[in-house]
Amino acid sequence: RREGVTTVRDQATFRSMKHVAAYMLAVLGGKESPTAEDLKTILAAVDAKADDACLDLVIKELSGKDIATVIAEGSTKLVSMGGGGGGGGMA
């Protein structure tokens, strides 16, 4: 269990996010259609274990999509969530 990762859903999200990050790194590195082996190589470089089911899902969902567009679409969803409050003012 990771610090700050408290629920099963949080743990699943944490596991899948490292796979998404590996996919994005592969694309940034010049791979137009990263394979599971490409992602496993990236994850192994940082001593992270790959989950085949997560890899398959990430590749299925992102394959053929423009990563910049995916990020832009996701960013608009984050805006609607709002943000945390700022820190307290000086006393």
Side-chain angles (χ1 to χ4, degrees):
R1 223 179 189 186
R2 301 261 187 212
E3 186 176 323
V5 179
T6 57
T7 66
V8 171
R9 183 175 178 187
D10 288 344
Q11 291 172 19
T13 300
F14 180 79
R15 281 195 308 272
S16 63
M17 288 307 296
K18 70 181 176 184
H19 296 88
V20 171
Y23 188 94
M24 295 177 85
L25 285 170
V27 171
L28 288 171
K31 295 274 186 177
E32 285 186 27
S33 297
T35 66
E37 287 305 313
D38 294 329
L39 305 186
K40 286 179 181 180
T41 299
I42 291 168
L43 291 169
V46 294
D47 201 28
K49 293 182 182 178
D51 178 286
D52 289 331
C54 283
L55 287 176
D56 292 343
L57 180 62
V58 167
I59 291 169
K60 176 185 166 194
E61 292 295 322
L62 294 177
S63 183
K65 294 184 180 177
D66 177 61
I67 294 301
T69 302
V70 171
I71 292 170
E73 289 171 353
S75 294
T76 61
K77 293 177 184 177
L78 288 174
V79 170
S80 68
M81 294 173 56
M90 290 180 49

